[in-house]
Amino acid sequence: MSAHVETIVPPKLRPGDTVRVIAPARSRAMIMEHDNTRWINERFAAMGLTLTFGEHVDEDDQFRSGSVEHRVADLHAAFADPSVAGIITVIGGFNSNELLPYLDFDLIAAHPKVFCGYSDITALQNAILARTGLVTYSGPHWSSWGMRDHFEPTGDWFRAAVTDDAPIAVEPSQAWTDDMWFADQDDRTPVPNKGWWRLRPGRASGRIVGGNLCTLNLLQGTANMPSLDGALLFIEDDFESNTVAFARNLTSLLQQPDAGGVTGLVLGRFQAASGVTREALDEIVARQPALAGKPVLAGVDFGHTSPLLTVPIGGAADVVVGEREAALTITRH
């Protein structure tokens, strides 16, 4: 388990910058079975950003992925290339942690730049935090930008995190979606957002650690696990999780030796298929001694539903949970 290292905030993206797209998990070839690149290209062009692609993004083996060697090579090339200002992942998957023994963390630390993705990319982001102190961004993949309708405020939150230094006062979205948008852009069902779930009162600030829970837990017991001491946890899980899986995974995380130093917990919205309810979360939280007396806020717009908040892993946030209202502010990103 890593001790604290000095925080490095990468330079912000500016119009005219180049962003490199890499596939440390699954292949672009899989994504292109449903070609939504028109909206991706339009949105990046509107930001004044040029997209380039790693050499091996279309490699597609039996795991719908590329070789470890080639995925590592594309990641290293993206960090090392002085013409690249930011890096974004194609999509998640299940195998980003295969890259960890081969990563050149000195190279990454020497070339700090925006690195954004979520889900399985959690393994890379928290390892980079533990080993280098570099802030990375749990936010939309390259493929996420292909959502034609109901995309915002995902893009607004991304721009706020990676192009500006101002604190981000997070507000609940007006509506959210949880559908196979990439396969059918016309069959969409927005759900009105009833707001955040205020599970436990209190106020806390801290360094943001987290992302996808089951992926973060893969780092336990290794040098790639960031310190939880002083951490404000941002945690989410996807449709493959359920009440009992989430309960045991959260319990495992909060039984780490330094989990008593966690300052609070912010939970992303669960997908409907997970079946996780507010009542279940309330009981799960009540069983965690590491959370006693600490604020817990749930139903926040990050995770595997849309819209998707961009969360700076290694950045900082403040959370206030009261009886009738709550506030969430990202203070360092």
Side-chain angles (χ1 to χ4, degrees), residues 4-10 129 132-135 207 313-316 332:
H4 281 292
V5 289
E6 186 176 348
T7 301
I8 304 169
V9 178
L129 173 61
T132 73
L134 176 63
V135 173
R207 183 176 73 152
I313 303 300
R332 183 177 62 198

Side-chain angles (χ1 to χ4, degrees), residues 79-208:
F79 273 100
D81 189 336
S83 72
V84 172
I87 305 164
I88 191 167
T89 55
V90 165
I91 197 170
F94 64 92
N95 55 355
S96 292
N97 65 330
E98 292 175 345
L99 310 189
L100 297 178
Y102 308 100
L103 291 187
D104 184 341
F105 290 103
D106 291 336
L107 170 71
I108 292 169
H111 301 89
K113 53 189 69 175
V114 167
F115 176 66
C116 188
Y118 74 105
S119 191
D120 190 59
I121 311 304
T122 296
L124 299 176
Q125 292 165 328
N126 285 273
I128 288 171
L129 173 61
R131 302 291 288 274
T132 73
L134 176 63
V135 173
T136 59
Y137 299 88
S138 180
H141 299 300
W142 168 81
S143 54
S144 306
W145 294 80
M147 184 184 294
R148 184 187 70 196
D149 304 322
H150 314 299
F151 177 70
E152 297 297 356
T154 296
D156 292 332
W157 282 329
F158 173 84
R159 286 181 285 270
V162 305
T163 69
D164 196 346
D165 292 314
I168 302 167
V170 182
E171 298 285 347
S173 62
Q174 296 298 306
W176 57 278
T177 59
D178 180 19
D179 50 34
M180 304 279 280
W181 64 268
F182 51 88
D184 188 345
Q185 296 269 25
D186 296 317
D187 184 18
R188 306 295 308 284
T189 310
V191 179
N193 189 5
K194 297 180 180 179
W196 296 330
W197 297 347
R198 301 180 303 277
L199 298 186
R200 291 293 182 277
R203 61 174 57 231
S205 59
R207 183 176 73 152
I208 298 172

Side-chain angles (χ1 to χ4, degrees), residues 8-37:
I8 304 169
V9 178
K12 299 301 183 186
L13 297 180
R14 298 174 299 177
D17 280 344
T18 293
V19 173
R20 176 70 52 82
V21 183
I22 62 172
R26 287 176 297 186
S27 169
R28 184 174 67 166
M30 184 184 79
I31 301 305
M32 292 303 293
E33 291 173 4
H34 303 286
D35 184 358
N36 297 304
T37 51

